[in-house]
Amino acid sequence: MLMALKDKKQIQKNHSFKQSFTHACFGIYRIFKEERNMRIHTSIAVLVIFVGWLLQITSSEWYWVMACIGWVFVAEVLNTIAENIVDLVTGKTYSELGKHIKDMAAGAVLISACFAGIIGLWIFLPKIWLLLIH
């Protein structure tokens, strides 16, 4: 594996699955460490999974719940990537175009979270309603 001089920073493509996997795991770790919203999404996901378990949702309902959770996580990762690219290109100085890019990326997260919320309400409200009226 070729490395840059003394700093041991990787400058070539990954040469093994293990190396790729390690870098991907580090990326996920960084997202959780640095992004408050990812930690909030994770907390909500854990709560939703717990409620789904309590309410004994069906396997097809689990499919939708997990797909929505995954979709929100991916949107948050892409939002973070967009923010970091804008900061890299602009040198963290204000740019009107950079602001638009960051706003649009955040909008994608909002759309995915709203969609997930609607699906969650569609799945959970009838079950909660049945518990309340019995």
Side-chain angles (χ1 to χ4, degrees):
M1 166 174 38
L2 295 175
M3 297 284 183
L5 303 174
K6 291 185 264 180
D7 62 5
K8 302 213 187 232
K9 304 278 187 208
Q10 181 176 339
I11 59 173
Q12 298 290 318
K13 289 185 73 150
N14 296 325
H15 294 286
S16 68
F17 175 78
K18 180 182 175 193
Q19 190 178 30
S20 297
F21 187 79
T22 300
H23 290 299
C25 288
F26 183 71
I28 294 168
Y29 166 78
R30 295 276 310 245
I31 292 275
F32 281 97
K33 181 180 175 196
E34 297 175 7
E35 297 298 321
R36 173 185 47 101
N37 287 344
M38 183 57 102
R39 293 189 300 273
I40 291 169
H41 292 309
T42 301
S43 298
I44 292 168
V46 168
L47 177 64
V48 166
I49 290 168
F50 179 70
V51 171
W53 176 75
L54 282 177
L55 295 176
Q56 299 178 344
I57 63 176
T58 67
S59 59
S60 62
E61 291 167 334
W62 275 116
Y63 167 81
W64 282 103
V65 166
M66 298 311 289
C68 287
I69 289 170
W71 189 16
V72 171
F73 282 177
V74 168
E76 186 62 46
V77 169
L78 293 174
N79 177 51
T80 301
I81 291 168
E83 290 174 349
N84 281 287
I85 289 172
V86 167
D87 289 346
L88 177 67
V89 170
T90 64
K92 295 188 178 182
T93 59
Y94 181 79
S95 161
E96 192 67 26
L97 181 57
K99 179 190 180 322
H100 293 316
I101 292 167
K102 287 182 174 187
D103 290 349
M104 287 183 260
V109 178
L110 180 61
I111 290 168
S112 67
C114 288
F115 177 81
I118 290 167
I119 296 296
L121 290 173
W122 190 4
I123 291 171
F124 291 116
L125 277 183
K127 295 175 183 323
I128 292 169
W129 177 252
L130 284 175
L131 287 175
L132 293 175
I133 62 171
H134 283 108

